Amino acid sequence: MTTENAPASMYRTTEGLGVWEHKGKVAAVGIGHSPTTRRWDGTAENTMGANSIFALRQAIADAGVDPADIDGLVLDPVTTTGAHWPPGQEIPMDVVNHWNSTDDPLDGIAKLSAEWILKNMPELTNVKFTMYGQGCMSHAIVVAAQAVGEGRTHTCLVLKSWHNLEGRYNQSGVSAQDEVPGSFALAPGRTLWGAPGSYGTALQFAEYCRKYGKSHDMMAPFMANSRRNGLLFPEGYWAQHRPEQLTAEDYLNARWIAKPANLFDNDIPIMVSGAYLFTTAERAKDMKQKPVYILNHASSRGAQRSVLPTLDEVEKETAETGRKIYEGAGITAADLSFENMYDGFALFHQFHIEGLRYRGMQNGDALDFYQKDISIEGPDPVLPSGGNIGSGRSRFWMHTDSIQQIQGRAGARALTGVKPEIGVSGGPMPMGGNFTVWSATPD
Amino acid sequence: MPLPTKKFETARFQSRYEERLTRLAILISFDIDGTLEVGDPPGVLTMELVRKTQEAGILVGSCSDRPISGQRAIWEQHGIAYDFAVSKHQLPDVKERFEAEAYYHIGDREDLDRQYALAAGFEFFWPDEAVSEPWLK
């Protein structure tokens, strides 16, 4: 079975499409996560592939589904943004051969195919639909949601995995080559010789502060809130390994990576896998967990005129994304109980939520909003998952949290200032990402 | 000449040691991750070495990318009376705050430890060099 990238027709990228034709007919039920680690330890038992299998089995068990009933698998085959396998570095064949390998020995170590998963999960005997949603869990989710809606699969696993290797991020593999193709070196964070990954966001944030009279210091409450929520997320890296609160003093004294983006505005790369089980609303009724219905998915494919998007371009795109999200779900900003938009880099979260007009905010309002009560106990929760800042680079904590909040399974992180009925999550970038509206009810 | 008694020897040593401390105050800044045994990854320098260094009258503290509150927590957890805990780029502030005749930073990274240290006017040791406590020689 050949696995293809999802066709463009599966994404809802423009305004004017009306309410999603499958609104409320697709549901998330099961959730699974692997343990987190900072880096791969070189053992077969702790490869990214092993983590993937662990997370998938957790999701299946969580949903209470017979693996033989699963007929779909959507995943992201790319498992890093900066931990590239160095060309010429020996591949440990004992690790490769520990598993049922594919033609690519790095499959399951530094990349991931649907074929590798199916070869190593013999219990998945009836998977007939596989597809890639490249980039992150946000991407895979909208592909899976659309696939279930269209009837391509009725019980579908959705997977996102991350590997992390020894050494520094973005300083090995293709990032360390003397020559790279095309415009590769121009994008933030891609090579040794280029700028840090957060520099584009930093430039937009600097312009944002200038335009609206704000300051980087005003981010401190958001950062403390995110880490606090992350420490209440037992699946996350900080909660599992270094349960330290991030104080305003810590944040304000951190060194600059790309001023005004400091060390803690950048998320920490980790090893982790996350998986969900999606199904039809009908089938979900008989499963073990409460269904969380998908009201809409929407995608952003913003075009920039130059090397980096300007603040104006970002604000235009996020506002359009907000309108697409609401239009397809048939809701308004007032219907949102909470938001879980992406934050890895912390300095662009405000672009996402201003685009949403969350709690009525307009452009330039978010940093003032952060000075108020944005906790999970308050009426205006911001990023209850804690996001990547709270739990490490997975790009899926916000989705897990959205599902758990609505299922009533968020534990110590449970929202108490609002009843979690409708939430939105997604990302990654303000100029390009994929977003999902989750609901306690199908309509 | 009578041989010095043990008591006399100890007093003479103490006197020399105190004189040395007065004249030659030493400050040592420790990186954490990859340097100290409590780091992630663990380094070769034990907390016992730091405690011994501190008890010898040397000013000790940490300079790390870890949150400052987290650095303090590590020292307190190990009962070490640290003199400072700062972020990586704040070695110049340490030098301004503490008067010493010798400033050392110990770390495991060329870019974030050695270069920062030298730029701030600190001498630098890699962790494996520091194991032998060269500042006591």
Side-chain angles (χ1 to χ4, degrees):
Chain A
M1 181 163 42
T2 305
T3 303
E4 306 284 348
N5 288 332
S9 60
M10 293 186 79
Y11 300 96
R12 296 170 56 80
T13 57
T14 60
E15 292 184 76
L17 295 178
V19 172
W20 184 38
E21 61 269 36
H22 308 298
K23 174 184 176 180
K25 295 174 186 167
V26 181
V29 183
I31 300 172
H33 293 96
S34 74
T36 64
T37 53
R38 180 77 170 93
R39 292 184 173 88
W40 182 40
D41 62 5
T43 65
E45 295 76 17
N46 292 317
T47 56
M48 171 271 299
N51 281 346
S52 302
I53 293 169
F54 185 95
L56 287 166
R57 287 181 173 150
Q58 292 276 318
I60 295 167
D62 190 53
V65 168
D66 182 341
D69 290 339
I70 292 164
D71 67 346
L73 171 64
V74 175
L75 71 152
D76 178 2
V78 180
T79 55
T80 186
T81 54
H84 307 293
W85 192 270
Q89 179 168 313
E90 192 178 348
I91 299 170
M93 292 310 294
D94 57 327
V95 173
V96 175
N97 294 327
H98 178 87
W99 302 95
N100 295 315
S101 58
T102 64
D103 292 341
D104 187 339
L106 286 176
D107 204 351
I109 295 175
K111 58 182 74 169
L112 189 63
S113 69
E115 182 189 2
W116 191 95
I117 291 293
L118 294 179
K119 277 188 159 193
N120 287 285
M121 292 185 69
E123 68 268 43
L124 297 178
T125 52
N126 285 314
V127 172
K128 297 176 181 68
F129 169 82
T130 58
M131 195 164 270
Y132 292 135
Q134 287 221 13
C136 55
M137 181 64 101
S138 299
H139 209 139
I141 282 174
V142 304
V143 171
Q146 187 66 25
V148 173
E150 290 177 2
R152 297 176 189 232
T153 164
H154 56 68
T155 307
C156 184
L157 290 167
V158 196
L159 172 70
K160 171 64 194 178
S161 289
W162 292 87
H163 74 267
N164 194 26
L165 306 173
E166 284 299 315
R168 295 183 64 193
Y169 222 61
N170 282 317
Q171 300 211 4
S172 64
V174 66
S175 298
Q177 300 300 298
D178 289 337
E179 293 181 14
V180 290
S183 60
F184 185 86
L186 290 177
R190 283 184 172 171
T191 71
L192 270 173
W193 323 114
S198 55
Y199 96 96
T201 297
L203 283 174
Q204 291 148 16
F205 185 81
E207 174 61 7
Y208 177 92
C209 288
R210 188 203 61 78
K211 182 175 180 180
Y212 299 113
K214 310 301 175 192
S215 71
H216 181 263
D217 288 4
M218 296 176 75
M219 287 291 293
F222 169 80
M223 300 299 288
N225 183 63
S226 293
R227 181 62 71 84
R228 176 190 179 229
N229 293 345
L231 293 179
L232 299 173
F233 212 140
E235 295 90 341
Y237 176 79
W238 295 112
Q240 288 179 2
H241 299 282
R242 278 171 51 186
E244 311 163 340
Q245 180 57 41
L246 187 71
T247 67
E249 182 198 22
D250 296 330
Y251 180 65
L252 299 178
N253 279 288
R255 66 186 166 89
W256 301 119
I257 299 297
K259 193 176 180 179
N262 76 15
L263 182 69
F264 298 121
D265 292 318
N266 295 260
D267 50 331
I268 188 169
I270 58 172
M271 297 264 301
V272 67
S273 296
Y276 308 123
L277 189 138
F278 282 13
T279 188
T280 62
E282 274 306 303
R283 285 175 180 259
K285 288 176 187 166
D286 299 324
M287 293 185 184
K288 198 168 147 189
Q289 308 298 343
K290 175 183 171 178
V292 175
Y293 299 94
I294 296 177
L295 299 188
N296 184 30
H297 65 83
S299 297
S300 155
R301 301 287 183 267
Q304 63 203 46
R305 290 164 294 181
S306 188
V307 175
L308 293 174
T310 64
L311 176 63
D312 289 345
E313 287 170 333
V314 166
E315 290 183 333
K316 177 176 175 293
E317 186 64 25
T318 51
E320 190 178 315
T321 298
R323 293 192 297 270
K324 281 186 280 191
I325 287 170
Y326 296 132
E327 179 191 348
I331 62 171
T332 70
D335 294 312
L336 285 183
S337 315
F338 62 93
E339 66 84 19
N340 255 320
M341 300 294 264
Y342 189 56
D343 67 327
F345 306 116
L347 298 184
F348 62 51
H349 189 75
Q350 80 282 349
F351 298 142
H352 281 306
I353 63 174
E354 287 176 0
L356 281 177
R357 305 296 182 237
Y358 182 62
R359 295 297 191 265
M361 69 175 68
Q362 301 297 313
N363 292 345
D365 287 348
L367 296 194
D368 289 323
F369 196 82
Y370 292 168
Q371 311 311 305
K372 300 188 294 185
D373 181 5
I374 57 172
S375 73
I376 52 176
E377 293 86 2
D380 303 314
V382 167
L383 196 57
S385 65
N388 278 25
I389 297 302
S391 290
R393 178 174 300 164
S394 75
R395 296 184 174 174
F396 55 61
W397 305 119
M398 68 272 202
H399 303 304
T400 297
D401 181 70
S402 296
I403 298 167
Q404 288 179 338
Q405 293 287 359
I406 292 170
Q407 286 180 326
R409 297 200 291 162
R413 227 174 45 259
L415 295 166
T416 56
V418 293
K419 187 176 178 190
E421 292 177 315
I422 297 180
V424 60
S425 60
M429 302 302 284
M431 288 293 286
N434 302 276
F435 307 87
T436 303
V437 182
W438 311 92
S439 174
T441 61
D443 45 16
Chain B
M1 195 168 128
L3 288 171
T5 62
K6 190 175 178 187
K7 188 177 173 189
F8 175 77
E9 243 183 353
T10 306
R12 192 173 65 175
F13 174 80
Q14 186 67 28
S15 165
R16 277 189 189 166
Y17 185 67
E18 281 169 5
E19 183 186 330
R20 179 167 175 249
L21 283 184
T22 309
R23 289 194 292 113
L24 289 172
I26 296 174
L27 180 146
I28 300 180
S29 154
F30 292 88
D31 170 47
I32 296 175
D33 295 317
T35 298
L36 295 179
E37 64 177 332
V38 295
D40 178 16
V44 295
L45 299 184
T46 64
M47 298 307 276
E48 191 49 40
L49 177 143
V50 180
R51 181 177 290 104
K52 209 173 93 184
T53 303
Q54 192 270 331
E55 287 171 357
I58 292 172
L59 299 164
V60 298
S62 49
C63 174
S64 163
D65 269 342
R66 290 211 180 200
I68 290 171
S69 60
Q71 295 181 43
R72 290 179 186 141
I74 288 173
W75 294 129
E76 284 155 17
Q77 189 185 338
H78 289 84
I80 294 174
Y82 63 99
D83 295 290
F84 58 91
V86 297
S87 294
K88 281 278 190 199
H89 62 299
Q90 294 177 321
L91 279 181
D93 301 336
V94 172
K95 196 166 187 190
E96 204 172 292
R97 267 173 56 199
F98 296 96
E99 193 175 339
E101 297 214 14
Y103 297 86
Y104 299 105
H105 176 68
I106 303 163
D108 68 323
R109 289 271 297 268
E110 167 64 27
D111 52 353
L112 292 177
D113 289 303
R114 186 171 173 273
Q115 289 180 18
Y116 271 89
L118 298 182
F122 280 56
E123 292 181 59
F124 178 77
F125 292 116
W126 297 105
D128 57 338
E129 294 173 329
V131 170
S132 63
E133 304 172 273
W135 48 87
L136 293 181
K137 290 173 182 166

